[in-house]
Amino acid sequence: MAPSVSPDAPSGKREALIDAALDLFNREGYRAVVIDTLLQEAGVAKMTLYKHFGSKEELIRAVLERRAETIAAEITARLEAVPADVPNRPRERLLAVFAWLEDWLRSPAFHGCIFVKAAGEYPHPDDLPRRAAEAFKATCRVLLEHLCGDLACPRPALLARQLELLIEGAASVAYLRHEPEAGAWARQAAMVLIEAACP
């Protein structure tokens, strides 16, 4: 007797849809990508799309959640790579986030922030893409607050908000002005803010 397969088990066609959608949405935006183009790129039938997602908005949410997981894994690896005995480790862990930012902005795969684009194209508070984007940005803020909390500074939450602005601003400048150096500038500014906040 064959083992039963959970309806939540990973599907090759589902993953193919997410992979294709992530690439297309990243390069072209969300509303500009029509379903037929997406299906052709993924090599699946329309019935497959609605079997796994029900709507384009649900697919977008899945794409954003996938990208959020990837970013979380990449940043976690950067944080864990900071040696335990390095001087001023909390500061170096914060700067590791900005090192990740530099690499992302210089990557050929960088076409702007897909979370900001999702919020822009789906502005209603109840839109699934916007809710997924807001959830990811909130997670980023919590991470920064946690990292700043490890520093010996009197107002870690304020520092986290300032660093968040640097990250968001660098991504916007890199995208709008085609200046990937914005990541390095943000890292330099972060060093100044951290030093000022932690006398």
Side-chain angles (χ1 to χ4, degrees), residues 73-86 89 92-93 96:
E74 291 173 353
I75 293 179
T76 297
R78 296 287 183 121
L79 297 177
E80 292 177 348
V82 178
D85 58 350
V86 70
R89 187 169 188 259
E92 294 307 312
R93 280 166 56 85

Side-chain angles (χ1 to χ4, degrees), residues 42-173:
V44 300
K46 184 175 291 187
M47 185 172 58
T48 302
L49 170 66
Y50 293 109
K51 171 187 175 184
H52 290 290
F53 299 105
S55 69
K56 183 179 179 182
E57 287 71 28
E58 288 186 13
L59 172 60
I60 293 171
R61 177 174 62 181
V63 165
L64 293 174
E65 290 173 349
R66 161 76 71 78
R67 180 61 184 147
E69 291 169 359
T70 300
I71 292 173
E74 291 173 353
I75 293 179
T76 297
R78 296 287 183 121
L79 297 177
E80 292 177 348
V82 178
D85 58 350
V86 70
N88 204 347
R89 187 169 188 259
R91 173 182 177 274
E92 294 307 312
R93 280 166 56 85
L94 255 178
L95 293 178
V97 175
F98 285 85
W100 171 86
L101 177 69
E102 284 188 68
D103 289 344
W104 175 48
L105 299 188
R106 293 183 184 278
S107 167
F110 175 74
H111 300 284
C113 177
I114 66 170
F115 300 96
V116 171
K117 290 179 181 179
E121 293 193 40
Y122 292 89
H124 194 278
D126 291 331
D127 287 336
L128 292 179
R130 183 178 186 89
R131 286 163 56 187
E134 289 177 348
F136 171 73
K137 295 297 184 179
T139 300
C140 294
R141 187 178 308 120
V142 169
L143 172 64
L144 288 173
E145 289 174 352
H146 173 74
L147 293 172
C148 289
D150 291 337
L151 295 170
C153 66
R155 303 181 68 185
L158 175 60
L159 177 59
R161 292 300 177 98
Q162 293 169 338
L163 296 178
E164 180 185 26
L165 289 176
L166 285 180
I167 292 171
E168 297 295 338
S172 294
V173 168

